[in-house]
Amino acid sequence: MLSQFNQFLLNFSLLITSLLFAFLPLRHIKRISPTSPIRIRLIVGVIAGLISVLLVLNSVTYDGAKVDLRLVALVTAFYYGGWVSGGITMVAIIGARFIITPPGAYEGLILTALICSALLVTASVYRRFASHTLKDYLILIAIGIGYSLPALYLLTETFTRFLEISLVYIIFILLGGYVTYRFLQELRKHFQFVQMQQELALTDGLTNLANRRKLDETLASYDKDGFAFSVLIVDIDFFKSVNDTYGHDGGDVVLRQLSHLLEHCCPDKAMVGRYGGEEFVLLLPDMPLKEAVRLGETIRSACADQHFVFSTYPAFHVTLSIGVAASDQAATSFEVVQKADQSLYQAKQTGRNKVVAYSEVD
């Protein structure tokens, strides 16, 4: 029995290691379920199928039986991807079992096909009355064990031999199922945490807009891909007086309300970011200069008409100065930003509350 135990331990290690590397491509998907897009479920099925093939090819040979953790891969595929993923994994298991089956000894292959089919049918019925929990996952594993034990009995030479292998088999299948479920749950939490930290590193904490780092990364990608775009640099006029009158809390309220206005006015493809202080940058892909100027006028007018409210103070207004430039006016994206900044300076020097395009600068 110790030999079988050691072989199962190797099978178990192969399962966990394969899961770690195989599911890395899916780390950015928040949740995988039987209702996920078909492409995702196909990928899950292929991954689980490849893992099951590795498990079958490294199975424990006991009399006429080939024992391994393939059921864990099959249940996992169905649990996360439904019939699509489970079906792909079942085909992979049957194919791998066929490869290692000696000519003429097809009893194990036939039993494998029957067990996998019965498990998927039972799982599809059970899922209608179950929730997506660890208990339900382990029940499906237990059902698979229940279907496998009669096959083990038929393929082993004596009842004593059946008891020897079945005990180790039950322990490792249940343990493998539990560890696989917990491992995938913790792996998903870890990926979500890393993704959240990455988003926080690229997000302005006050306005939840893109921060300067994110804007600079996007500008660099525009250079790399050769995108045509325009830039609006938006600055709040006399923002210091807002802070002096209403305090920094009042200034923060203005910044947040303005960020909402900018997001509302901009097209979906645009990126709105806070460049620092009271200055905002809008990156507008595939938008020519004239259209960007019109958008700037829309934003300026909307802000001038908006009532800003803070605490018990009466509603008040703020105005914006906006500089505009386009990518066909400069060699690099960062030069476009510099030219938009020059236009903003011109707007400030010529009376504020206006939009100035770079082509208008003398």
CSV table of all heavy atoms in Angstrom, one decimal, residues 84-109:
chain,number,residue,atom,x,y,z
A,84,VAL,N,-19.8,22.3,-21.6
A,84,VAL,CA,-18.8,22.6,-22.6
A,84,VAL,C,-17.4,22.2,-22.1
A,84,VAL,O,-16.7,21.4,-22.8
A,84,VAL,CB,-18.8,24.1,-23.0
A,84,VAL,CG1,-17.6,24.4,-24.0
A,84,VAL,CG2,-20.1,24.4,-23.7
A,85,SER,N,-17.0,22.7,-21.0
A,85,SER,CA,-15.7,22.3,-20.4
A,85,SER,C,-15.7,20.9,-20.0
A,85,SER,O,-14.7,20.2,-20.2
A,85,SER,CB,-15.5,23.2,-19.2
A,85,SER,OG,-15.5,24.6,-19.5
A,86,GLY,N,-16.8,20.4,-19.3
A,86,GLY,CA,-16.8,19.0,-18.9
A,86,GLY,C,-16.7,18.0,-20.1
A,86,GLY,O,-16.0,17.0,-20.0
A,87,GLY,N,-17.4,18.3,-21.2
A,87,GLY,CA,-17.3,17.5,-22.3
A,87,GLY,C,-15.9,17.4,-23.0
A,87,GLY,O,-15.5,16.3,-23.3
A,88,ILE,N,-15.3,18.5,-23.1
A,88,ILE,CA,-13.9,18.5,-23.6
A,88,ILE,C,-13.0,17.7,-22.7
A,88,ILE,O,-12.2,16.9,-23.2
A,88,ILE,CB,-13.4,20.0,-23.7
A,88,ILE,CG1,-14.2,20.7,-24.8
A,88,ILE,CG2,-11.9,20.0,-24.1
A,88,ILE,CD1,-13.9,22.2,-24.9
A,89,THR,N,-13.1,17.9,-21.4
A,89,THR,CA,-12.3,17.1,-20.5
A,89,THR,C,-12.6,15.6,-20.6
A,89,THR,O,-11.6,14.8,-20.5
A,89,THR,CB,-12.5,17.6,-19.0
A,89,THR,OG1,-12.3,19.0,-19.0
A,89,THR,CG2,-11.5,17.0,-18.1
A,90,MET,N,-13.8,15.3,-20.7
A,90,MET,CA,-14.2,13.8,-20.8
A,90,MET,C,-13.6,13.2,-22.0
A,90,MET,O,-13.0,12.1,-22.0
A,90,MET,CB,-15.7,13.7,-20.8
A,90,MET,CG,-16.2,12.2,-21.0
A,90,MET,SD,-18.0,12.1,-21.0
A,90,MET,CE,-18.2,12.7,-22.7
A,91,VAL,N,-13.6,13.9,-23.2
A,91,VAL,CA,-13.0,13.4,-24.4
A,91,VAL,C,-11.5,13.2,-24.2
A,91,VAL,O,-10.9,12.2,-24.6
A,91,VAL,CB,-13.3,14.3,-25.6
A,91,VAL,CG1,-12.5,13.9,-26.8
A,91,VAL,CG2,-14.8,14.3,-25.9
A,92,ALA,N,-10.8,14.2,-23.5
A,92,ALA,CA,-9.4,14.1,-23.3
A,92,ALA,C,-9.1,12.9,-22.4
A,92,ALA,O,-8.1,12.2,-22.6
A,92,ALA,CB,-8.9,15.4,-22.6
A,93,ILE,N,-9.9,12.6,-21.3
A,93,ILE,CA,-9.7,11.5,-20.4
A,93,ILE,C,-9.8,10.2,-21.2
A,93,ILE,O,-9.0,9.3,-21.1
A,93,ILE,CB,-10.7,11.6,-19.3
A,93,ILE,CG1,-10.3,12.7,-18.3
A,93,ILE,CG2,-10.7,10.2,-18.5
A,93,ILE,CD1,-11.4,12.9,-17.2
A,94,ILE,N,-10.9,10.1,-22.0
A,94,ILE,CA,-11.1,8.8,-22.8
A,94,ILE,C,-9.9,8.6,-23.8
A,94,ILE,O,-9.5,7.5,-23.9
A,94,ILE,CB,-12.4,8.9,-23.5
A,94,ILE,CG1,-13.6,8.9,-22.4
A,94,ILE,CG2,-12.6,7.7,-24.4
A,94,ILE,CD1,-15.0,9.1,-23.0
A,95,GLY,N,-9.5,9.7,-24.4
A,95,GLY,CA,-8.4,9.6,-25.3
A,95,GLY,C,-7.1,9.1,-24.7
A,95,GLY,O,-6.4,8.3,-25.2
A,96,ALA,N,-6.8,9.7,-23.5
A,96,ALA,CA,-5.6,9.3,-22.8
A,96,ALA,C,-5.7,7.9,-22.3
A,96,ALA,O,-4.7,7.1,-22.3
A,96,ALA,CB,-5.4,10.3,-21.6
A,97,ARG,N,-6.9,7.5,-21.8
A,97,ARG,CA,-7.1,6.1,-21.4
A,97,ARG,C,-6.9,5.1,-22.5
A,97,ARG,O,-6.4,4.0,-22.4
A,97,ARG,CB,-8.5,5.9,-20.8
A,97,ARG,CG,-8.7,4.6,-20.1
A,97,ARG,CD,-7.8,4.4,-18.9
A,97,ARG,NE,-8.1,3.2,-18.2
A,97,ARG,CZ,-7.7,2.0,-18.5
A,97,ARG,NH1,-6.9,1.8,-19.5
A,97,ARG,NH2,-8.0,0.9,-17.7
A,98,PHE,N,-7.3,5.5,-23.7
A,98,PHE,CA,-7.2,4.7,-24.9
A,98,PHE,C,-5.7,4.5,-25.2
A,98,PHE,O,-5.2,3.4,-25.6
A,98,PHE,CB,-7.9,5.3,-26.1
A,98,PHE,CG,-7.7,4.6,-27.4
A,98,PHE,CD1,-8.4,3.4,-27.7
A,98,PHE,CD2,-6.8,5.0,-28.3
A,98,PHE,CE1,-8.2,2.7,-28.8
A,98,PHE,CE2,-6.6,4.3,-29.5
A,98,PHE,CZ,-7.3,3.2,-29.8
A,99,ILE,N,-4.9,5.6,-25.1
A,99,ILE,CA,-3.5,5.5,-25.4
A,99,ILE,C,-2.7,4.5,-24.6
A,99,ILE,O,-1.9,3.7,-25.0
A,99,ILE,CB,-2.8,6.9,-25.3
A,99,ILE,CG1,-3.4,7.9,-26.3
A,99,ILE,CG2,-1.3,6.8,-25.3
A,99,ILE,CD1,-2.9,9.3,-26.2
A,100,ILE,N,-3.1,4.4,-23.3
A,100,ILE,CA,-2.4,3.5,-22.3
A,100,ILE,C,-3.0,2.2,-22.2
A,100,ILE,O,-2.6,1.3,-21.5
A,100,ILE,CB,-2.3,4.2,-20.9
A,100,ILE,CG1,-3.6,4.3,-20.3
A,100,ILE,CG2,-1.5,5.5,-21.0
A,100,ILE,CD1,-3.6,4.8,-18.9
A,101,THR,N,-4.1,1.9,-23.0
A,101,THR,CA,-4.8,0.6,-22.9
A,101,THR,C,-4.1,-0.4,-23.9
A,101,THR,O,-4.0,-0.1,-25.1
A,101,THR,CB,-6.3,0.8,-23.3
A,101,THR,OG1,-6.9,1.7,-22.4
A,101,THR,CG2,-7.0,-0.6,-23.3
A,102,PRO,N,-3.7,-1.5,-23.4
A,102,PRO,CA,-3.1,-2.6,-24.3
A,102,PRO,C,-4.2,-3.1,-25.2
A,102,PRO,O,-5.4,-3.1,-24.9
A,102,PRO,CB,-2.7,-3.7,-23.3
A,102,PRO,CG,-2.6,-3.0,-21.9
A,102,PRO,CD,-3.7,-1.9,-22.0
A,103,PRO,N,-3.8,-3.5,-26.4
A,103,PRO,CA,-4.7,-4.0,-27.4
A,103,PRO,C,-5.5,-5.2,-26.9
A,103,PRO,O,-4.9,-6.1,-26.2
A,103,PRO,CB,-3.8,-4.5,-28.6
A,103,PRO,CG,-2.5,-3.7,-28.4
A,103,PRO,CD,-2.4,-3.5,-26.9
A,104,GLY,N,-6.8,-5.1,-27.0
A,104,GLY,CA,-7.6,-6.2,-26.6
A,104,GLY,C,-8.1,-6.1,-25.1
A,104,GLY,O,-9.1,-6.8,-24.7
A,105,ALA,N,-7.5,-5.2,-24.4
A,105,ALA,CA,-7.9,-5.1,-22.9
A,105,ALA,C,-8.7,-3.8,-22.8
A,105,ALA,O,-8.2,-2.8,-22.2
A,105,ALA,CB,-6.7,-5.1,-22.0
A,106,TYR,N,-9.9,-3.7,-23.3
A,106,TYR,CA,-10.7,-2.5,-23.4
A,106,TYR,C,-11.7,-2.4,-22.3
A,106,TYR,O,-12.5,-1.4,-22.3
A,106,TYR,CB,-11.4,-2.4,-24.7
A,106,TYR,CG,-10.4,-2.3,-25.9
A,106,TYR,CD1,-10.4,-3.3,-26.9
A,106,TYR,CD2,-9.5,-1.3,-26.0
A,106,TYR,CE1,-9.5,-3.2,-28.0
A,106,TYR,CE2,-8.6,-1.2,-27.0
A,106,TYR,CZ,-8.6,-2.1,-28.0
A,106,TYR,OH,-7.7,-2.0,-29.1
A,107,GLU,N,-11.7,-3.3,-21.3
A,107,GLU,CA,-12.6,-3.2,-20.2
A,107,GLU,C,-12.5,-1.9,-19.5
A,107,GLU,O,-13.5,-1.2,-19.2
A,107,GLU,CB,-12.5,-4.3,-19.2
A,107,GLU,CG,-12.8,-5.7,-19.8
A,107,GLU,CD,-11.5,-6.3,-20.4
A,107,GLU,OE1,-10.5,-5.6,-20.6
A,107,GLU,OE2,-11.6,-7.5,-20.8
A,108,GLY,N,-11.2,-1.5,-19.1
A,108,GLY,CA,-11.0,-0.3,-18.4
A,108,GLY,C,-11.4,1.0,-19.2
A,108,GLY,O,-11.9,1.9,-18.6
A,109,LEU,N,-11.1,0.9,-20.5
A,109,LEU,CA,-11.5,2.1,-21.4
A,109,LEU,C,-13.0,2.3,-21.4
A,109,LEU,O,-13.5,3.4,-21.3
A,109,LEU,CB,-10.9,1.8,-22.8
A,109,LEU,CG,-11.3,2.9,-23.8
A,109,LEU,CD1,-10.8,4.2,-23.4
A,109,LEU,CD2,-10.8,2.4,-25.2
